[in-house]
Amino acid sequence: VERAIFILNIQTKNIKKLANGSYPRLSPKGDVLAYLSGGQVWTVHLDSLKPTKLFHSRGSQGAIRWSPDGSKLAFTSSRNDHSFI
């Protein structure tokens, strides 16, 4: 099943697909959206709407959380027999 993330302009009622992915997390400042796609962490700046993979890591990333000031992301990296935070 395809999972996608959309953005809605509440003034114009226009809806736009941002990316294929899941578990979106909006930054505290509201300018960047972090999400998961293909087991990797991606971001999209809401002013440019261009998705970018932050990095490539072995395993499957999950449980993403922004720091209170929005400058950092925490996540888990699940491997076959162990995980990293």
Side-chain angles (χ1 to χ4, degrees):
V1 175
E2 179 185 61
R3 292 184 178 184
I5 301 167
F6 291 84
I7 188 169
L8 170 69
N9 183 321
I10 58 173
Q11 295 172 340
T12 65
K13 308 294 188 229
N14 288 336
I15 190 167
K16 179 176 174 141
K17 182 178 174 180
L18 290 180
N20 288 327
S22 58
Y23 304 107
R25 300 290 185 259
L26 190 60
S27 69
K29 295 178 184 177
D31 59 340
V32 180
L33 184 76
Y35 64 95
L36 299 174
S37 181
Q40 301 297 312
V41 180
W42 291 68
T43 59
V44 60
H45 289 266
L46 298 182
D47 57 352
S48 68
L49 301 181
K50 183 178 178 187
T52 304
K53 188 191 300 189
L54 285 183
F55 53 86
H56 184 79
S57 179
R58 293 187 336 215
S60 180
Q61 298 6 280
I64 52 177
R65 301 285 185 267
W66 287 98
S67 64
D69 68 357
S71 65
K72 297 175 179 70
L73 278 172
F75 62 94
T76 59
S77 182
S78 300
R79 309 295 172 91
N80 288 335
D81 58 350
H82 63 284
S83 295
F84 295 107
I85 296 176

